[in-house]
Amino acid sequence: LVVVVMSISVTGCSAFDALRGSPDRPANQNEEEAPAADMNDTTMGVEVDDDAMAVLAVERPAWQNHPLTDARSGEVFTLGSFEGKTVFVETMATWCGNCRQQLTNLRDARAHIAADDIVYIGLSVETNISDEALATYADNAGFDWTFAVIPADLLRELADEFGRTITSPPATPSFFIYADGSFSVLSAGRVKSTQQLIELLNSARGA
């Protein structure tokens, strides 16, 4: 399945401004990583076999396990809830004209992709918007996929992972989470056409 992620902004300003004064990254993120253990070595007396290494290889980052609330249904989910599917995520804001245009193009692109292995998610970066207001925006525009208001701490984690651009909705930031939990770099900078989105989505799902 494909999960779509969308950028979120704070009304009248960059969402990054709302994050100022937030704590820095943990110091250990800048420390050198310990040498990887040999596949045939043992760790603390326990042999590390191929199956165990396979599990470790697909361990998801913490931000994929952060709870979100579906603005329409109230159901709680995470960006990592869709194992085995491709997820397209875009951060956005209801006041953002570029966001509305790209979401409209995405709506049209989805009509050309009859697949149940891709998930679309729009994340609003507006910290002062209610679930009801976000759901009304999506319903009125005909955007019938999942939308959620992104919590400030999750937005901070995404900014650490992808950079400040993800907090700026007019840049139409988006990224993919693949079926195994790995993820793409951030795509941003201009509104993508319907055809460009069709090609991106098909490529991400291996079609």
Side-chain angles (χ1 to χ4, degrees), residues 6 88 90 98-113 120 145 171-172 174 176 187-202:
M6 311 192 66
F88 175 77
E90 183 170 346
N98 285 354
C99 301
R100 180 181 284 270
Q101 182 59 62
Q102 180 152 298
L103 291 171
T104 299
N105 294 347
L106 179 61
R107 180 193 64 197
D108 296 341
R110 292 179 73 234
H112 295 275
I113 302 177
Y120 305 85
W145 55 94
T172 62
S174 64
F176 286 98
S187 174
R190 60 188 175 86
V191 175
K192 297 175 182 64
S193 69
T194 297
Q195 184 57 42
Q196 288 173 322
L197 286 167
I198 290 173
E199 293 172 359
L200 282 172
L201 293 168
N202 280 330

Side-chain angles (χ1 to χ4, degrees), residues 117-134:
D117 61 347
I118 183 169
V119 176
Y120 305 85
I121 298 176
L123 297 178
S124 173
V125 298
E126 299 163 278
T127 58
N128 61 346
I129 193 173
S130 67
D131 287 343
E132 293 76 14
L134 179 58

